[in-house]
Amino acid sequence: MAGLPTTARVVIIGGGAVGASSLYHLAKAGWTDCVLLEKNELTSGSTWHAAGNVPTFSSSWSLMNMQRYSTELYRRLADEVRYPMNYHVTGSLRLAHSAERMQEFQRAKGMGRYQGMDIDVVGLDEIKRRYPFIETHELKGALYDPNDGDIDPAQLTQALAKGARDMGAKIIRFCPVTGVSRDNHEWVVETAQGKIRCEIVVNAAGYRAAEVGRMFGREVPMMVMSHQYILFEEIPELAAWSKEQGKKLPLLRDVDTSYYLRQEKNGMNLGPYERNCRAHWVGHNDPMPDDFSFQLFPDDLDRLEHYLADAVARVPILGTAGLSKVINGPIPYAPDGNPLIGPMPGVPNAFEACVFTFGIAQGGGAGKVLAEWVTEGQTEWDMWSCDPRRFTAFASAPDYCVAKGMEIYGNEYAIQFPRHAWPAGRDRKLSPLHDRIKALGARFDAYNGWERATWYTNAGDDISEESTLTFRRDGPWQHRVREECLAVRDAAGILDLPGFSRFNLDGPGAAEWLSLQVTGLVPKPGRIGLVYFADDKGRIVTEMSVVRHDENLMTLITAAAVAQWHDFEWLKSRIPKDATFKLIDRTEEYSTQILAGPNSRKILAELCAADLTLPWLTHQETSIAGRWAKLVRVSFAGELGWEIHSKVDDTAAIFDAVWAAGKRHRLKPFGMYALDSLRLEKGYRTWKGDLSTDYSILQGGLERFVRWDKPDFRGKTALQNEKQQGIKKRFVTLVVENPGDCDAPTMSTLWHDGRIVGETTSGGWGHRIDRSIALGMLRADLTEPGTAVEIEIFGERFRAVVQKDEPLWDPKNERLRA
């Protein structure tokens, strides 16, 4: 056994598939002075009992990218590191029982084809041809993925470990980490074998990630589920078929029933995600053991009875086989089911690569992403779906993690409908207006824990959960959202928007420093301006509104709720240690209401002494109902309007006053669905939708926010090079002609002359123009206004026309500036 070194550049804690992949990819990047510490033997956590399925399917673009990379890596890894592995690329059939499931499959097919994968949607005859033992009752079709398969998790981990060692990295087994401390800007990692100093630490501890996180003062948002799968004895008919065909059956997933069925040698492996699931190590009566290496939970087959019966009806030869073994082991879940990969929130030079529900399928891609974070400070793909900073402190509450983890597990294969609000873990953060707007008919969804109104009902409207299980636009909300949009157009609307992320930048030199971080200009005192932050490659990191109070004081307002930790850390990590200014997070102290529409000035005139003739992009302080308020003359709704910012405790009184005055001016409450429709008509971008590091500032159509004459700003050189070499794709607004029943979801494929030429970044219905709108990225030579392309919406292609580079509604912003 190699001895523990005293120093390293990076220390990885955890020796499962993800930890080994992280070490391997760091070494491949040239960072060979890295050490992996494992409490027991490699794979002793969730990896050793993992089923080893390796799908590429995902409804998330970034997760599909990561899983696709894993399959590509695993195909070549054995030869690359000279270590034999059992990797069976069998293909898979993902069964559909409903038209909605077929729509989901068509969207996945489009994303997969864009990424170069030959995914296809097939009918019943093709299902039967590929899987002769199946019964096709109640099926509509299936998604066939030729790249799917399974791999031996232990062999995979050992292959990655060997590759890392061969390049010079070190692995120390049977070396539990007992603590960490910070000394002279370095980490001191304490272990049973001694101490090791390093620059960077990675928490790759799997289901023990929370335990390791607490060593850093970090509460990792996670819980642990019990996952069972059943191994069956050999089936003679299956053995004969495999021998004759020289291959294994495709992996079968009956996602509507919620299980997978895989050929295991000449037997089968059945793995349900049961809705009557069980969490483990919850509370004082069920503590996590000090060591659970290579251990399992007791069998709990009663939970699986329904799924076993369904699988036997679907594949009758399964019913002829005896049960061989039951595996019941721990797997971790984050509150949204996605892993945590990226900077550890609030902790310098520390990263997370943990809480993987599908660690084998995602392990290869995860190692790539983690290594990029560590060595470059950025990743090739925008990985917000996995960034640990997507959660804030509320999400670490144990009861929340358990409720969401069990909900995700029991609905692991559920379709993610755009208007469906998952019910578990709700009411974590309530606006001061929550009860008031609920009484007005508000329906809610959670935005990073904040309950926000999505639409407002009338008596008799269908508010059942079942009504939201659709991709169609004409749900019961559609007419109400239209009414809300037209109220904002014709009279006035008010939107409660709690949780706006806001930071104060205060002190001498703050404006000069901020100017170096943004591509454009910092507004003058008394003004507000939209600014964009680029990374060193010129890619879009984030968008903020800067409210300049005076020479040395600014409030930076960023994406409501979700961007708080990400954007605060982006700013803070770039402030010099000797700076004479400070950055303060003020998010929890304030709340916001949006008042918009042609009557909004009349309403405010009855309530305050503010100068309501001040132009667009100005701000001022005033008093409403005897309470301090900040009026900011901007409107994401694209109409005359103001944001009303107030202290949390004063928000309700201000709302009451506005609501009372607004009755005379046809004021109506509106929700997030209406706001999304209104912003689409203006071409306004959304954070981590239209604005992400998948695109450069120039590709995003944001050159008007770039001041080339500034001496310097982050990303300037990269953007200059891109402009000189030519921009390959550009942001466009498309109007979809005769779009059918559905609008374009994110990452819908754009076609021209039979070739893929771009993708959508968001889409929806514009109620002021009565058209289906899609925002997206299109090959640069096709962005001339009037150019026709095709947009693939759930497998069907529709004609879409490129619009002028101006808003579809009020193109000259005359209403906005009125």
Side-chain angles (χ1 to χ4, degrees), residues 42-73:
L42 295 182
T43 77
S44 62
S46 292
T47 298
W48 83 272
H49 63 75
N53 297 331
V54 187
T56 60
F57 174 90
S58 178
S59 58
S60 160
W61 180 258
S62 53
L63 288 177
M64 182 177 278
N65 255 324
M66 195 162 65
Q67 292 171 186
R68 172 187 53 78
Y69 174 88
S70 291
T71 65
E72 294 168 354
L73 172 66

mmCIF file of all heavy atoms in Angstrom, residues 42-73:
data_model
loop_
_atom_site.group_PDB
_atom_site.id
_atom_site.type_symbol
_atom_site.label_atom_id
_atom_site.label_comp_id
_atom_site.label_asym_id
_atom_site.label_seq_id
_atom_site.Cartn_x
_atom_site.Cartn_y
_atom_site.Cartn_z
ATOM 1 N N LEU A 42 -11.812 0.768 -3.107
ATOM 2 C CA LEU A 42 -12.498 1.401 -4.227
ATOM 3 C C LEU A 42 -13.819 0.685 -4.492
ATOM 4 O O LEU A 42 -13.893 -0.539 -4.411
ATOM 5 C CB LEU A 42 -11.625 1.356 -5.482
ATOM 6 C CG LEU A 42 -10.310 2.146 -5.467
ATOM 7 C CD1 LEU A 42 -9.617 2.027 -6.815
ATOM 8 C CD2 LEU A 42 -10.530 3.601 -5.115
ATOM 9 N N THR A 43 -14.843 1.451 -4.791
ATOM 10 C CA THR A 43 -16.201 0.995 -5.135
ATOM 11 C C THR A 43 -17.014 0.556 -3.930
ATOM 12 O O THR A 43 -18.113 0.028 -4.087
ATOM 13 C CB THR A 43 -16.221 -0.160 -6.167
ATOM 14 O OG1 THR A 43 -15.874 -1.400 -5.525
ATOM 15 C CG2 THR A 43 -15.282 0.092 -7.324
ATOM 16 N N SER A 44 -16.549 0.784 -2.699
ATOM 17 C CA SER A 44 -17.235 0.202 -1.540
ATOM 18 C C SER A 44 -18.532 0.906 -1.166
ATOM 19 O O SER A 44 -19.250 0.437 -0.288
ATOM 20 C CB SER A 44 -16.296 0.204 -0.327
ATOM 21 O OG SER A 44 -15.922 1.528 0.029
ATOM 22 N N GLY A 45 -18.853 2.043 -1.816
ATOM 23 C CA GLY A 45 -20.097 2.747 -1.519
ATOM 24 C C GLY A 45 -21.229 2.287 -2.417
ATOM 25 O O GLY A 45 -21.516 1.090 -2.524
ATOM 26 N N SER A 46 -21.840 3.232 -3.118
ATOM 27 C CA SER A 46 -22.946 2.867 -4.016
ATOM 28 C C SER A 46 -22.460 2.169 -5.281
ATOM 29 O O SER A 46 -23.226 1.460 -5.927
ATOM 30 C CB SER A 46 -23.742 4.122 -4.417
ATOM 31 O OG SER A 46 -24.437 4.645 -3.315
ATOM 32 N N THR A 47 -21.190 2.374 -5.632
ATOM 33 C CA THR A 47 -20.703 1.841 -6.904
ATOM 34 C C THR A 47 -20.749 0.322 -6.941
ATOM 35 O O THR A 47 -21.132 -0.276 -7.951
ATOM 36 C CB THR A 47 -19.268 2.337 -7.177
ATOM 37 O OG1 THR A 47 -19.284 3.769 -7.273
ATOM 38 C CG2 THR A 47 -18.707 1.752 -8.462
ATOM 39 N N TRP A 48 -20.403 -0.324 -5.841
ATOM 40 C CA TRP A 48 -20.243 -1.783 -5.887
ATOM 41 C C TRP A 48 -21.553 -2.510 -6.144
ATOM 42 O O TRP A 48 -21.567 -3.580 -6.760
ATOM 43 C CB TRP A 48 -19.599 -2.304 -4.594
ATOM 44 C CG TRP A 48 -20.549 -2.518 -3.447
ATOM 45 C CD1 TRP A 48 -20.934 -1.616 -2.524
ATOM 46 C CD2 TRP A 48 -21.220 -3.738 -3.120
ATOM 47 N NE1 TRP A 48 -21.826 -2.171 -1.638
ATOM 48 C CE2 TRP A 48 -22.009 -3.478 -1.976
ATOM 49 C CE3 TRP A 48 -21.242 -5.026 -3.675
ATOM 50 C CZ2 TRP A 48 -22.803 -4.455 -1.383
ATOM 51 C CZ3 TRP A 48 -22.049 -5.988 -3.074
ATOM 52 C CH2 TRP A 48 -22.807 -5.705 -1.945
ATOM 53 N N HIS A 49 -22.663 -1.936 -5.680
ATOM 54 C CA HIS A 49 -23.949 -2.619 -5.879
ATOM 55 C C HIS A 49 -24.763 -1.994 -7.012
ATOM 56 O O HIS A 49 -25.906 -2.392 -7.252
ATOM 57 C CB HIS A 49 -24.781 -2.619 -4.588
ATOM 58 C CG HIS A 49 -25.165 -1.255 -4.102
ATOM 59 N ND1 HIS A 49 -26.154 -0.514 -4.695
ATOM 60 C CD2 HIS A 49 -24.702 -0.499 -3.075
ATOM 61 C CE1 HIS A 49 -26.294 0.644 -4.051
ATOM 62 N NE2 HIS A 49 -25.416 0.682 -3.072
ATOM 63 N N ALA A 50 -24.190 -1.023 -7.740
ATOM 64 C CA ALA A 50 -24.929 -0.391 -8.836
ATOM 65 C C ALA A 50 -25.227 -1.403 -9.938
ATOM 66 O O ALA A 50 -24.428 -2.308 -10.202
ATOM 67 C CB ALA A 50 -24.118 0.774 -9.396
ATOM 68 N N ALA A 51 -26.360 -1.231 -10.588
ATOM 69 C CA ALA A 51 -26.730 -2.141 -11.668
ATOM 70 C C ALA A 51 -25.845 -1.943 -12.893
ATOM 71 O O ALA A 51 -25.669 -2.865 -13.684
ATOM 72 C CB ALA A 51 -28.197 -1.927 -12.042
ATOM 73 N N GLY A 52 -25.312 -0.728 -13.077
ATOM 74 C CA GLY A 52 -24.380 -0.489 -14.173
ATOM 75 C C GLY A 52 -25.022 -0.136 -15.497
ATOM 76 O O GLY A 52 -24.374 -0.236 -16.542
ATOM 77 N N ASN A 53 -26.283 0.296 -15.503
ATOM 78 C CA ASN A 53 -26.912 0.713 -16.757
ATOM 79 C C ASN A 53 -26.279 2.020 -17.251
ATOM 80 O O ASN A 53 -25.938 2.895 -16.445
ATOM 81 C CB ASN A 53 -28.412 0.919 -16.564
ATOM 82 C CG ASN A 53 -29.106 -0.364 -16.164
ATOM 83 O OD1 ASN A 53 -28.668 -1.450 -16.518
ATOM 84 N ND2 ASN A 53 -30.199 -0.253 -15.413
ATOM 85 N N VAL A 54 -26.166 2.143 -18.572
ATOM 86 C CA VAL A 54 -25.497 3.314 -19.150
ATOM 87 C C VAL A 54 -26.384 3.920 -20.240
ATOM 88 O O VAL A 54 -26.117 3.768 -21.440
ATOM 89 C CB VAL A 54 -24.109 2.939 -19.716
ATOM 90 C CG1 VAL A 54 -23.359 4.197 -20.156
ATOM 91 C CG2 VAL A 54 -23.283 2.183 -18.686
ATOM 92 N N PRO A 55 -27.455 4.610 -19.860
ATOM 93 C CA PRO A 55 -28.324 5.244 -20.863
ATOM 94 C C PRO A 55 -27.753 6.581 -21.318
ATOM 95 O O PRO A 55 -26.926 7.190 -20.634
ATOM 96 C CB PRO A 55 -29.623 5.452 -20.094
ATOM 97 C CG PRO A 55 -29.175 5.670 -18.680
ATOM 98 C CD PRO A 55 -27.974 4.761 -18.494
ATOM 99 N N THR A 56 -28.223 7.047 -22.459
ATOM 100 C CA THR A 56 -27.938 8.413 -22.895
ATOM 101 C C THR A 56 -29.168 9.300 -22.754
ATOM 102 O O THR A 56 -29.057 10.524 -22.750
ATOM 103 C CB THR A 56 -27.480 8.448 -24.366
ATOM 104 O OG1 THR A 56 -28.524 7.908 -25.188
ATOM 105 C CG2 THR A 56 -26.217 7.647 -24.558
ATOM 106 N N PHE A 57 -30.343 8.708 -22.634
ATOM 107 C CA PHE A 57 -31.600 9.470 -22.593
ATOM 108 C C PHE A 57 -31.612 10.457 -21.429
ATOM 109 O O PHE A 57 -31.244 10.127 -20.301
ATOM 110 C CB PHE A 57 -32.790 8.524 -22.446
ATOM 111 C CG PHE A 57 -34.103 9.246 -22.248
ATOM 112 C CD1 PHE A 57 -34.876 9.604 -23.341
ATOM 113 C CD2 PHE A 57 -34.547 9.584 -20.977
ATOM 114 C CE1 PHE A 57 -36.078 10.273 -23.177
ATOM 115 C CE2 PHE A 57 -35.747 10.251 -20.796
ATOM 116 C CZ PHE A 57 -36.511 10.591 -21.902
ATOM 117 N N SER A 58 -32.077 11.660 -21.703
ATOM 118 C CA SER A 58 -32.377 12.636 -20.664
ATOM 119 C C SER A 58 -33.240 13.713 -21.283
ATOM 120 O O SER A 58 -33.155 13.986 -22.490
ATOM 121 C CB SER A 58 -31.097 13.254 -20.094
ATOM 122 O OG SER A 58 -31.424 14.229 -19.115
ATOM 123 N N SER A 59 -34.063 14.350 -20.470
ATOM 124 C CA SER A 59 -34.814 15.498 -20.941
ATOM 125 C C SER A 59 -34.010 16.781 -20.772
ATOM 126 O O SER A 59 -34.458 17.860 -21.154
ATOM 127 C CB SER A 59 -36.147 15.617 -20.189
ATOM 128 O OG SER A 59 -35.913 15.733 -18.798
ATOM 129 N N SER A 60 -32.813 16.658 -20.187
ATOM 130 C CA SER A 60 -31.914 17.796 -19.980
ATOM 131 C C SER A 60 -30.791 17.746 -21.008
ATOM 132 O O SER A 60 -30.129 16.720 -21.170
ATOM 133 C CB SER A 60 -31.324 17.750 -18.562
ATOM 134 O OG SER A 60 -30.151 18.525 -18.472
ATOM 135 N N TRP A 61 -30.547 18.870 -21.682
ATOM 136 C CA TRP A 61 -29.493 18.945 -22.695
ATOM 137 C C TRP A 61 -28.121 18.660 -22.081
ATOM 138 O O TRP A 61 -27.325 17.915 -22.638
ATOM 139 C CB TRP A 61 -29.524 20.331 -23.321
ATOM 140 C CG TRP A 61 -28.503 20.566 -24.394
ATOM 141 C CD1 TRP A 61 -27.326 21.254 -24.275
ATOM 142 C CD2 TRP A 61 -28.569 20.136 -25.757
ATOM 143 N NE1 TRP A 61 -26.663 21.280 -25.478
ATOM 144 C CE2 TRP A 61 -27.395 20.608 -26.411
ATOM 145 C CE3 TRP A 61 -29.500 19.401 -26.503
ATOM 146 C CZ2 TRP A 61 -27.141 20.366 -27.756
ATOM 147 C CZ3 TRP A 61 -29.230 19.162 -27.842
ATOM 148 C CH2 TRP A 61 -28.068 19.642 -28.453
ATOM 149 N N SER A 62 -27.843 19.238 -20.929
ATOM 150 C CA SER A 62 -26.520 19.079 -20.324
ATOM 151 C C SER A 62 -26.313 17.662 -19.800
ATOM 152 O O SER A 62 -25.219 17.092 -19.944
ATOM 153 C CB SER A 62 -26.312 20.105 -19.206
ATOM 154 O OG SER A 62 -27.359 20.058 -18.265
ATOM 155 N N LEU A 63 -27.336 17.067 -19.206
ATOM 156 C CA LEU A 63 -27.196 15.686 -18.734
ATOM 157 C C LEU A 63 -27.046 14.725 -19.903
ATOM 158 O O LEU A 63 -26.281 13.756 -19.826
ATOM 159 C CB LEU A 63 -28.398 15.292 -17.871
ATOM 160 C CG LEU A 63 -28.469 15.933 -16.483
ATOM 161 C CD1 LEU A 63 -29.745 15.502 -15.774
ATOM 162 C CD2 LEU A 63 -27.257 15.577 -15.641
ATOM 163 N N MET A 64 -27.762 14.982 -20.999
ATOM 164 C CA MET A 64 -27.603 14.135 -22.182
ATOM 165 C C MET A 64 -26.180 14.254 -22.726
ATOM 166 O O MET A 64 -25.572 13.244 -23.104
ATOM 167 C CB MET A 64 -28.625 14.510 -23.254
ATOM 168 C CG MET A 64 -28.547 13.627 -24.498
ATOM 169 S SD MET A 64 -29.802 14.006 -25.754
ATOM 170 C CE MET A 64 -31.217 13.110 -25.104
ATOM 171 N N ASN A 65 -25.628 15.461 -22.741
ATOM 172 C CA ASN A 65 -24.247 15.656 -23.159
ATOM 173 C C ASN A 65 -23.301 14.818 -22.293
ATOM 174 O O ASN A 65 -22.399 14.145 -22.797
ATOM 175 C CB ASN A 65 -23.865 17.133 -23.021
ATOM 176 C CG ASN A 65 -23.806 17.857 -24.349
ATOM 177 O OD1 ASN A 65 -23.400 17.291 -25.357
ATOM 178 N ND2 ASN A 65 -24.201 19.106 -24.357
ATOM 179 N N MET A 66 -23.512 14.868 -20.990
ATOM 180 C CA MET A 66 -22.635 14.185 -20.049
ATOM 181 C C MET A 66 -22.734 12.664 -20.214
ATOM 182 O O MET A 66 -21.719 11.956 -20.221
ATOM 183 C CB MET A 66 -23.001 14.603 -18.621
ATOM 184 C CG MET A 66 -21.963 14.261 -17.578
ATOM 185 S SD MET A 66 -22.210 15.205 -16.060
ATOM 186 C CE MET A 66 -23.786 14.596 -15.499
ATOM 187 N N GLN A 67 -23.951 12.161 -20.373
ATOM 188 C CA GLN A 67 -24.143 10.724 -20.528
ATOM 189 C C GLN A 67 -23.658 10.240 -21.888
ATOM 190 O O GLN A 67 -23.092 9.147 -21.995
ATOM 191 C CB GLN A 67 -25.619 10.384 -20.294
ATOM 192 C CG GLN A 67 -26.030 10.604 -18.841
ATOM 193 C CD GLN A 67 -27.520 10.495 -18.572
ATOM 194 O OE1 GLN A 67 -27.965 10.754 -17.468
ATOM 195 N NE2 GLN A 67 -28.306 10.123 -19.555
ATOM 196 N N ARG A 68 -23.843 11.042 -22.928
ATOM 197 C CA ARG A 68 -23.304 10.691 -24.243
ATOM 198 C C ARG A 68 -21.787 10.565 -24.174
ATOM 199 O O ARG A 68 -21.199 9.611 -24.712
ATOM 200 C CB ARG A 68 -23.694 11.763 -25.266
ATOM 201 C CG ARG A 68 -23.020 11.570 -26.621
ATOM 202 C CD ARG A 68 -23.303 12.743 -27.556
ATOM 203 N NE ARG A 68 -22.983 14.018 -26.964
ATOM 204 C CZ ARG A 68 -21.755 14.516 -26.852
ATOM 205 N NH1 ARG A 68 -20.707 13.819 -27.285
ATOM 206 N NH2 ARG A 68 -21.554 15.697 -26.315
ATOM 207 N N TYR A 69 -21.144 11.520 -23.494
ATOM 208 C CA TYR A 69 -19.689 11.451 -23.359
ATOM 209 C C TYR A 69 -19.278 10.175 -22.628
ATOM 210 O O TYR A 69 -18.278 9.534 -22.993
ATOM 211 C CB TYR A 69 -19.171 12.679 -22.604
ATOM 212 C CG TYR A 69 -17.695 12.613 -22.300
ATOM 213 C CD1 TYR A 69 -16.755 13.077 -23.215
ATOM 214 C CD2 TYR A 69 -17.237 12.079 -21.108
ATOM 215 C CE1 TYR A 69 -15.388 12.999 -22.946
ATOM 216 C CE2 TYR A 69 -15.877 11.995 -20.822
ATOM 217 C CZ TYR A 69 -14.963 12.461 -21.750
ATOM 218 O OH TYR A 69 -13.615 12.381 -21.472
ATOM 219 N N SER A 70 -20.031 9.789 -21.607
ATOM 220 C CA SER A 70 -19.706 8.561 -20.871
ATOM 221 C C SER A 70 -19.700 7.358 -21.802
ATOM 222 O O SER A 70 -18.772 6.544 -21.777
ATOM 223 C CB SER A 70 -20.720 8.327 -19.740
ATOM 224 O OG SER A 70 -20.584 9.282 -18.713
ATOM 225 N N THR A 71 -20.727 7.237 -22.646
ATOM 226 C CA THR A 71 -20.778 6.081 -23.547
ATOM 227 C C THR A 71 -19.601 6.092 -24.510
ATOM 228 O O THR A 71 -19.049 5.036 -24.836
ATOM 229 C CB THR A 71 -22.099 6.045 -24.339
ATOM 230 O OG1 THR A 71 -22.186 7.174 -25.211
ATOM 231 C CG2 THR A 71 -23.298 6.013 -23.410
ATOM 232 N N GLU A 72 -19.226 7.257 -24.981
ATOM 233 C CA GLU A 72 -18.091 7.353 -25.897
ATOM 234 C C GLU A 72 -16.791 6.972 -25.198
ATOM 235 O O GLU A 72 -15.936 6.272 -25.763
ATOM 236 C CB GLU A 72 -18.000 8.769 -26.469
ATOM 237 C CG GLU A 72 -19.183 9.128 -27.369
ATOM 238 C CD GLU A 72 -19.250 10.606 -27.690
ATOM 239 O OE1 GLU A 72 -18.446 11.387 -27.120
ATOM 240 O OE2 GLU A 72 -20.113 10.999 -28.501
ATOM 241 N N LEU A 73 -16.626 7.434 -23.962
ATOM 242 C CA LEU A 73 -15.427 7.097 -23.194
ATOM 243 C C LEU A 73 -15.356 5.600 -22.911
ATOM 244 O O LEU A 73 -14.306 4.968 -23.074
ATOM 245 C CB LEU A 73 -15.419 7.876 -21.873
ATOM 246 C CG LEU A 73 -14.330 7.497 -20.871
ATOM 247 C CD1 LEU A 73 -12.947 7.855 -21.411
ATOM 248 C CD2 LEU A 73 -14.574 8.177 -19.524
#
